[in-house]
Amino acid sequence: MRTVIAGGHGQIALRLERLLSGRGDSAAGLIRNAAQADDLRAVGAEPVVLDLESATLEQVAAVLEGADAAVFAAGAGAGSGAERKQTVDRGAAVLLADAAERAGVRRFLVVSSMGADAEATGVDPVFTAYLRAKGAADDAVRARKGLDWTILRPGALTNDSGTGRVRLAASTGRGSVPRDDVAAVLAELLTAPGTAGLTLELIAGPDPVAEAVRAAASGS
């Protein structure tokens, strides 16, 4: 299985790439900075230098040709302003979805955020812009009939060691989750077509990752 991951040098993406490589799959990570290429190679991924803020639809679709799945795991990141929330967290996600449809790549995962909502309100204007951008991107992806999409909305992300146990459901309540476990859930979702069309929240919990994904796919 070949998976193309936007935001290929992100903390979740690097973990996912290592997992995919470890199980014999092929992962290509989209990066803006060529200096990050060796970090991707170190986890077994193919680096592809492509800036989704300036790339054309045709350029992104060409990278996706022949892939089995695409994962949007990019983000403007801490310290970026409201404008880049729109160009990365919303705009780049929509571009990747457009390109996936163009290239015929149906399986499409989005790493979103708990609380994402195109109409979000809040005291912090930048964080509110982030939630709105993520929510608008999720809405745009969910409107596409040419994609077998799953939107994953983790709670607060930590760098604690993963436990392999999570709570995964349409609504989980607030909580945190290690990035290790987010990556593990993404890897499992890639081969769980029954989760297509679902928006799922994710926090640390009692259920082994594979069981949690199977339960989500079956609606239990």
Side-chain angles (χ1 to χ4, degrees):
M1 183 175 188
R2 176 174 173 79
T3 301
V4 176
I5 303 167
H9 194 259
Q11 294 188 66
I12 290 172
L14 286 169
R15 288 167 166 83
L16 175 58
E17 289 154 2
R18 186 184 296 278
L19 290 174
L20 296 181
S21 174
R23 73 184 189 191
D25 288 347
S26 169
L30 306 185
I31 53 176
R32 297 175 61 204
N33 183 354
Q36 298 170 339
D38 284 346
D39 292 339
L40 272 70
R41 295 188 186 101
V43 296
E46 172 196 350
V48 178
V49 180
L50 186 69
D51 184 352
L52 291 178
E53 287 184 275
S54 59
T56 66
L57 173 60
E58 290 72 21
Q59 287 173 322
V60 183
V63 172
L64 286 166
E65 284 290 340
D68 299 291
V71 178
F72 185 79
S80 60
E83 182 177 344
R84 289 203 70 225
K85 308 304 184 191
Q86 286 298 314
T87 58
V88 179
D89 293 288
R90 183 194 62 79
V94 172
L95 175 59
L96 190 70
D98 286 341
E101 285 193 308
R102 175 73 64 90
V105 179
R106 292 196 62 92
R107 192 68 175 117
F108 194 88
L109 305 186
V110 177
V111 182
S112 183
S113 173
M114 192 173 288
D117 184 339
E119 304 298 326
T121 59
V123 175
D124 183 334
V126 175
F127 186 64
T128 299
Y130 167 75
L131 292 178
R132 287 179 176 176
K134 281 292 193 186
D138 293 352
D139 291 344
V141 170
R142 285 188 291 225
R144 295 169 189 276
K145 299 188 183 301
L147 299 178
D148 296 328
W149 53 264
T150 303
I151 294 170
L152 184 65
R153 292 180 164 179
L157 299 170
T158 76
N159 285 327
D160 296 339
S161 296
T163 66
R165 292 180 176 271
V166 298
R167 185 180 302 280
L168 180 69
S171 178
T172 61
R174 294 286 176 175
S176 61
V177 61
R179 289 179 172 88
D180 286 349
D181 290 331
V182 177
V185 169
L186 289 168
E188 198 72 28
L189 287 171
L190 283 169
T191 57
T195 61
L198 299 181
T199 300
L200 299 168
E201 294 184 349
L202 174 68
I203 59 173
D207 303 320
V209 165
E211 291 182 14
V213 171
R214 281 197 297 271
S218 66
S220 60

